[in-house]
Amino acid sequence: MFQNSKPATPLTTRDPDDFVSTGVSGQKTISDLVYEARELSQELPDGQYAINLNTNRYAYLRAFCASLFRGHITLMPPNRQPETLGQLEDRYPGSYRIGEKETRQAPSNRSAKIHSDQIPWIKEDRIVAIAFTSGSTGEPSPIQKHWHTLRVGAETNRAAVLGDFKENKYLVSTVPSQHMWGFETSVLLPLKARVTVSDSNPLYPQDIADALDRRAEPRLLVSSPLHLRALMSSGVEVPGITRILTATAPLSREDARKLEDHFQTEVLDAFGCSESGVIATRRTSREREWKLSPPFSLEATEQGTLITASHLAEKVMLPDRVELVDDRTFHWIGRNHDMVNIAGKRGSLADLNHRLVNIEGVEDGVIFQPEDSRRLAAMVVAPTLTSADILTALRSQIDPAFVPRPVYQVSHLPRQETGKLSQRAIMELYHSVRIEISERSGKNPKSEEPKE
Amino acid sequence: MQAQSDQESELAKLIVETLNLEDTEPAEIEPDEPLFGEGLGLDSIDALELALAISQKYEVQLRAEDEKVQHAFGTLRSLNTFIQNHSAEA
């Protein structure tokens, strides 16, 4: 199915004595990883699909390798909501959860030296992971990842994001391993590049600083604009960072410059989607054009822009609108209208609205993103429910990032005769509801339904 | 509903203002109810914004990898106790 691909390639081409990870799990070499993953692969339940929920990055990597060795497929749940996990289990009989409770990995004493010729080889045309994107029907769409796709993607990223570095690097990431950007950088990259990954999963600025401080090698910080802005404004002192890699949401040129000044470093922005992985990079402080990585090419069609690459199983429709400058560069114009991006997670408004109006007791409703907010908001017609009831129903089935806030109760939505609800009408109603609430300040707006 | 102490009301006000919880009054936050998940339904974006506001107002830096903080962030009361103990240390 893939042109010019070899039948199988080794899990890693790194030296068995190289450090792959460090942190609360202890210092782990490639040899330790392969040994422990081989042991773990024997202990995995019978089944076919591993839902890898580990938050410790070494534990995630080890469980991913164990599933590879055992011939299982790693499922990458879009979030950890009980309903999402339950749906995955229903859809993939023979799936099991791994690392759900385990938040810390105790250092293991068991180990034996693994030599280069004992590193397992993986068939290139094997499906080894399945990622998911939010579709418009309420059912997440699966994206099958062959080992060939992941392996070539990791080698491409090594050149695109590390390129000129020759020495060993220490990588700290704030992006979960289950997210495609986290998966590519903290799971796959350490298998293909001289990178030692911190096994922590830091959120708060002080956590990030602590994790960076643990090693003196050239430091890379993999993150998102949200975490980086928080780190910058916290005033927390961080040790020198050689390069910051960011993705998941647009970073403004102004923020990129501020970050470079503040941390005395360079900020490299990565562009991609779950379907393709990272396809392009740019130094946002001084470049407007995105540079495509060599295996990828773009093709403008009437429906949108198609991504092609010989290591992708099929062409991918880019979920963004872009303008091609030439064969190798493009400008980003914006997201497709239905899509929202909250905290690095891409969601379909059609999907969210579908779920909202399917809640029992909701007569009509709309979820939207106000221009002045990083959050989504909702306006709902549901005389028998409280806002809290609606939120509870939504929380069980959607990612917390997409839970609307606030939820306003209204008597009806300004739909046109065709049933269409224009963005303009939504925003007018939203503003009038907010004005009414602020005029009643001092009272509790939740107990009195705001009318438009 | 349990009464909030003065310090807790101040912290509740900071939470509501920082996170734009337009439909929640500070006084409505139950001191012993969870802030995340079920209770107020806060998530990691909120945690990050709240941590910043707390570091600016109280000069306390939160660490999630410190298990005490995971616990501290549980409720209004435990968060307030954590802040008071740590700002006293400073």
Side-chain angles (χ1 to χ4, degrees):
Chain A
M1 103 185 274
F2 299 105
Q3 285 177 352
N4 307 324
S5 93
K6 299 166 193 153
T9 53
L11 171 76
T12 171
T13 41
R14 295 182 67 187
D15 189 291
D17 293 328
D18 273 1
F19 287 110
V20 68
S21 170
T22 187
V24 293
S25 322
Q27 295 213 56
K28 299 291 185 182
T29 61
I30 291 285
S31 171
D32 295 330
L33 170 67
V34 171
Y35 179 85
E36 292 178 23
R38 234 166 44 178
E39 298 269 295
L40 178 60
S41 73
Q42 299 308 311
E43 295 161 19
L44 293 178
D46 289 330
Q48 201 187 344
Y49 300 100
I51 304 178
N52 191 342
L53 296 167
N54 281 293
T55 52
N56 177 290
R57 282 175 211 280
Y58 177 71
Y60 186 97
L61 177 60
R62 189 178 56 172
F64 171 67
C65 293
S67 317
L68 270 179
F69 299 167
R70 182 72 179 267
H72 294 174
I73 296 171
T74 295
L75 298 183
M76 300 168 73
N79 59 63
R80 307 171 81 90
Q81 303 308 101
E83 189 148 320
T84 306
L85 300 182
Q87 276 173 358
L88 269 190
E89 284 162 339
D90 289 347
R91 192 159 159 191
Y92 294 93
S95 60
Y96 56 91
R97 302 180 189 189
I98 181 165
E100 188 170 24
K101 299 222 169 70
E102 186 181 44
T103 53
R104 295 196 169 205
Q105 197 57 49
S108 156
N109 297 320
R110 308 173 300 178
S111 201
K113 171 81 179 162
I114 299 286
H115 298 280
S116 297
D117 57 4
Q118 293 172 294
I119 288 177
W121 286 49
I122 316 293
K123 281 189 183 157
E124 291 261 301
D125 62 358
R126 221 184 94 192
I127 293 166
V128 296
I130 301 179
F132 295 88
T133 55
S134 139
S136 51
T137 55
E139 186 95 332
S141 323
I143 310 157
Q144 298 181 334
K145 299 284 182 183
H146 298 80
W147 174 244
H148 180 67
T149 304
L150 297 183
R151 199 250 318 153
V152 176
E155 289 167 2
T156 301
N157 286 335
R158 179 179 62 198
V161 304
L162 301 179
D164 36 335
F165 288 133
K166 294 288 171 265
E167 68 281 67
N168 204 48
K169 276 82 47 193
Y170 173 49
L171 185 151
V172 172
S173 175
T174 68
V175 186
S177 307
Q178 289 84 356
H179 186 287
M180 203 56 199
W181 171 231
F183 187 71
E184 287 193 274
T185 47
S186 68
V187 181
L188 299 175
L189 199 58
L191 294 174
K192 294 291 165 190
R194 294 184 62 189
V195 161
T196 307
V197 67
S198 160
D199 68 9
S200 65
N201 196 22
L203 170 68
Y204 300 121
Q206 189 63 56
D207 294 328
I208 301 175
D210 290 351
L212 286 167
D213 211 21
R214 272 183 215 122
R215 276 175 95 99
E217 289 157 320
R219 298 181 184 93
L220 304 172
L221 175 61
V222 174
S223 194
S224 70
L226 186 78
H227 291 115
L228 291 169
R229 273 193 296 266
L231 182 61
M232 185 162 59
S233 50
S234 70
V236 166
E237 274 194 39
V238 299
I241 304 170
T242 307
R243 185 175 285 171
I244 290 175
L245 305 172
T246 174
T248 74
L251 177 72
S252 68
R253 173 169 282 197
E254 197 193 341
D255 278 344
R257 286 184 177 155
K258 279 192 205 157
L259 285 166
E260 293 198 345
D261 276 354
H262 187 89
F263 296 109
Q264 288 297 298
T265 188
E266 54 182 60
V267 176
L268 192 70
D269 213 342
F271 182 95
C273 57
S274 302
E275 292 88 336
S276 64
V278 171
I279 64 165
T281 54
R282 73 172 178 190
R283 183 145 172 209
T284 300
S285 64
R286 48 178 77 166
E287 293 166 343
R288 187 169 164 234
E289 284 87 22
W290 289 95
K291 283 194 292 285
L292 270 178
S293 294
F296 297 100
S297 55
L298 295 180
E299 186 189 327
T301 71
E302 274 184 22
Q303 288 74 38
T305 308
L306 279 176
I307 308 172
T308 324
S310 62
H311 70 290
L312 295 178
E314 50 193 28
K315 293 182 179 186
V316 170
M317 182 64 77
L318 196 63
D320 297 70
R321 286 176 295 136
V322 302
E323 183 184 271
L324 305 186
V325 178
D326 58 39
D327 275 3
R328 306 309 311 158
T329 54
F330 63 89
H331 290 154
W332 184 75
I333 308 295
R335 282 187 296 276
N336 287 341
H337 293 301
D338 176 50
M339 303 308 286
V340 286
N341 187 325
I342 311 284
K345 295 184 175 177
R346 192 151 56 85
S348 153
L349 281 175
D351 169 38
L352 295 170
N353 280 310
H354 175 82
R355 290 169 190 266
L356 175 67
V357 298
N358 275 319
I359 295 171
E360 204 171 319
V362 171
E363 292 171 9
D364 197 0
V366 62
I367 293 179
F368 58 100
Q369 185 166 23
E371 319 92 330
D372 55 352
S373 173
R374 281 216 300 272
R375 290 279 184 186
L376 301 178
M379 292 188 292
V380 182
V381 183
T384 59
L385 300 177
T386 65
S387 297
D389 295 334
I390 295 166
L391 285 172
T392 305
L394 285 175
R395 263 189 211 119
S396 69
Q397 48 177 326
I398 69 178
D399 189 284
F402 299 128
V403 173
R405 176 192 302 159
V407 171
Y408 291 127
Q409 299 254 6
V410 295
S411 61
H412 70 274
L413 291 177
R415 288 193 186 273
Q416 296 163 7
E417 278 174 27
T418 54
K420 193 174 177 316
L421 194 55
S422 76
Q423 186 64 19
R424 194 169 152 208
I426 294 173
M427 291 315 295
E428 280 172 6
L429 176 58
Y430 170 71
H431 288 302
S432 68
V433 168
R434 279 165 60 100
I435 288 166
E436 186 163 342
I437 286 175
S438 67
E439 280 171 357
R440 285 194 241 162
S441 58
K443 292 181 194 170
N444 173 10
K446 200 154 78 176
S447 58
E448 299 166 49
E449 288 181 10
K451 299 287 187 296
E452 57 209 279
Chain B
M1 154 153 197
Q2 286 203 32
Q4 294 172 356
S5 71
D6 289 349
Q7 285 170 343
E8 283 165 358
S9 326
E10 206 179 306
L11 181 59
K13 209 168 141 232
L14 180 76
I15 295 173
V16 169
E17 280 172 6
T18 305
L19 305 180
N20 298 319
L21 301 178
E22 299 181 14
D23 49 3
T24 304
E25 290 288 315
E28 281 182 333
I29 301 179
E30 289 273 1
D32 287 320
E33 267 194 8
L35 293 172
F36 290 82
E38 292 289 297
L40 275 190
L42 307 187
D43 64 18
S44 71
I45 313 174
D46 300 314
L48 207 51
E49 286 181 7
L50 203 49
L52 273 185
I54 287 169
S55 69
Q56 278 152 15
K57 187 173 161 105
Y58 300 96
E59 295 184 3
V60 174
Q61 291 290 352
L62 299 177
R63 285 178 165 93
E65 300 207 292
D66 178 342
E67 272 162 30
K68 270 191 277 179
V69 177
Q70 292 186 348
H71 177 68
F73 246 121
T75 66
L76 178 66
R77 180 149 293 162
S78 63
L79 182 59
N80 180 58
T81 308
F82 180 88
I83 292 170
Q84 297 308 326
N85 289 344
H86 285 254
S87 52
E89 270 175 23

